[in-house]
């Protein structure tokens, strides 16, 4: 069976819970460390699916690998290879498919409520889940590509997610683990300090304390979405 390709753009922003979920369901996956200079695949058809993780850079930055990643995204879309994006990954998918990436009115960091859209596609992906606490760490957002359906929003960010057929892009982070939250809080000390007192930014201590309660519930949502995404892969091995 072909593996699922997971593109990592920063060492601290790996697949987290997604990797555990894929292992639990015996789904093969391959981590491609763009942050360490590993080559970007030339063709999406080499993989069952294509996952793009987060990162501190912008999809608008003049980084040498961004055009190649967006080309790979367009190749996957044209070849019906399911795409899954998290934060920066979602922004790269949106931009590659004709949307724009821009500064969000507010930075959004920490635990925050998101609302599932009231449409048939959102219900197909989320089931009976109507809202939940997601984890956030972003200062930019995206517009929807033509043909995309919005599925998620928050008070601080209109477009928290969209779907196009079997493709899923999420501005928020569903892949979090407790260790990742601790690491991000340490790496992002300056970011947090610069936004102290902002209603959309949570102090590090608070986000870590709330993780014990909120992570299991987040993983329930993550599993729902990841399971639905896997059903779009060209394999009969998952049910």
């Amino acid at each position: 069976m072909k593996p699922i390709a997971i593109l990592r753009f920063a060492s601290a922003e790996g697949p987290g819970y997604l990797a555990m979920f894929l292992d639990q369901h015996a789904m093969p996956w391959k981590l491609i460390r763009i942050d360490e200079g590993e080559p970007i695949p030339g063709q999406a058809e080499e993989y069952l699916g294509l996952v793009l993780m987060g990162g501190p850079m912008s999809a608008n930055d003049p980084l040498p690998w961004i055009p190649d990643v967006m080309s790979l995204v367009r190749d996957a879309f044209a070849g019906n290879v399911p795409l899954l994006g998290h934060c920066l990954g979602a922004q790269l998918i949106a931009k590659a498919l004709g949307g724009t990436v821009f500064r969000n009115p507010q930075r959004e960091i920490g635990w925050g409520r998101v609302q599932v859209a009231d449409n048939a596609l959102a219900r197909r992906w989320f089931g009976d889940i109507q809202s939940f606490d997601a984890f956030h760490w972003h200062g930019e957002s995206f517009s929807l590509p033509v043909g995309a359906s919005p599925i998620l929003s928050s008070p601080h960010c209109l477009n928290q997610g969209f779907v196009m057929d079997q493709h899923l892009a999420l501005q928020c982070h569903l892949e979090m683990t407790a260790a990742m939250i601790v690491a991000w809080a340490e790496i992002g000390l300056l970011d947090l300090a610069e936004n102290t007192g902002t209603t959309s930014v949570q102090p590090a201590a608070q986000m870590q304390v709330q993780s014990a309660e909120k992570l299991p519930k987040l993983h329930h949502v993550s599993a729902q979405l990841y399971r639905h995404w896997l059903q779009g892969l060209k394999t009969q091995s998952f049910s």
Side-chain angles (χ1 to χ4, degrees):
M1 185 191 301
K2 297 178 183 178
I4 295 167
I6 301 178
L7 274 60
R8 190 186 76 181
F9 307 113
S11 60
E13 303 208 27
Y17 175 74
L18 172 61
M20 292 185 280
F21 179 86
L22 294 177
D23 288 343
Q24 288 168 0
H25 292 87
M27 294 299 296
W29 57 277
K30 177 182 178 182
L31 184 63
I32 301 173
R33 302 168 181 84
I34 307 301
D35 56 291
E36 295 183 6
E38 293 185 359
I40 296 165
Q43 294 183 316
E45 66 178 4
E46 300 172 12
Y47 301 97
L48 278 177
L50 182 64
V51 181
L52 285 73
M53 302 311 302
M57 61 287 294
S58 169
N60 297 321
D61 286 344
L63 298 170
W65 51 264
I66 286 182
D68 290 338
V69 168
M70 291 199 294
S71 178
L72 182 63
V73 167
R74 288 188 286 268
D75 184 59
F77 185 78
N80 295 316
V81 176
L83 293 156
L84 172 58
H86 302 75
C87 200
L88 171 66
Q91 295 167 5
L92 288 165
I93 292 172
K95 186 173 181 179
L97 299 182
T100 58
V101 175
F102 49 86
R103 184 176 295 278
N104 197 56
Q106 294 176 283
R107 288 196 65 73
E108 193 172 19
I109 301 176
W111 292 102
R113 202 73 175 168
V114 291
Q115 183 70 38
V116 177
D118 184 17
N119 61 54
L121 275 176
R123 287 191 292 273
R124 188 179 305 166
W125 281 82
F126 283 95
D128 60 359
I129 299 168
Q130 297 181 355
S131 65
F132 61 95
D133 288 325
F135 194 80
H136 309 270
W137 203 303
H138 69 104
E140 293 187 316
S141 184
F142 51 78
S143 65
L144 300 181
V146 174
S149 297
I151 59 167
L152 208 58
S153 64
S154 76
H156 305 294
C157 182
L158 176 63
N159 291 324
Q160 282 283 351
F162 67 85
V163 294
M164 298 177 74
D165 299 319
Q166 71 270 45
H167 310 294
L168 172 65
L170 299 163
Q171 178 60 69
C172 54
H173 291 275
L174 269 67
E175 78 281 16
M176 301 308 295
T177 64
M180 289 172 69
I181 292 173
V182 171
W184 288 17
E186 293 175 354
I187 294 169
L189 280 176
L190 180 60
D191 200 4
L192 290 169
E194 290 176 345
N195 292 279
T196 299
T198 306
T199 57
S200 58
V201 175
Q202 194 176 40
Q206 185 179 1
M207 69 176 73
Q208 291 177 37
V209 166
Q210 291 185 352
S211 294
E213 173 194 355
K214 296 183 183 296
L215 265 178
K217 297 176 182 178
L218 178 65
H219 290 167
H220 172 74
V221 179
S222 306
Q224 166 72 22
L225 292 180
Y226 292 158
R227 187 179 299 109
H228 191 86
W229 183 76
L230 286 181
Q231 291 172 354
L233 303 184
K234 295 178 181 178
T235 175
Q236 300 300 315
S237 297
F238 180 84
S239 60

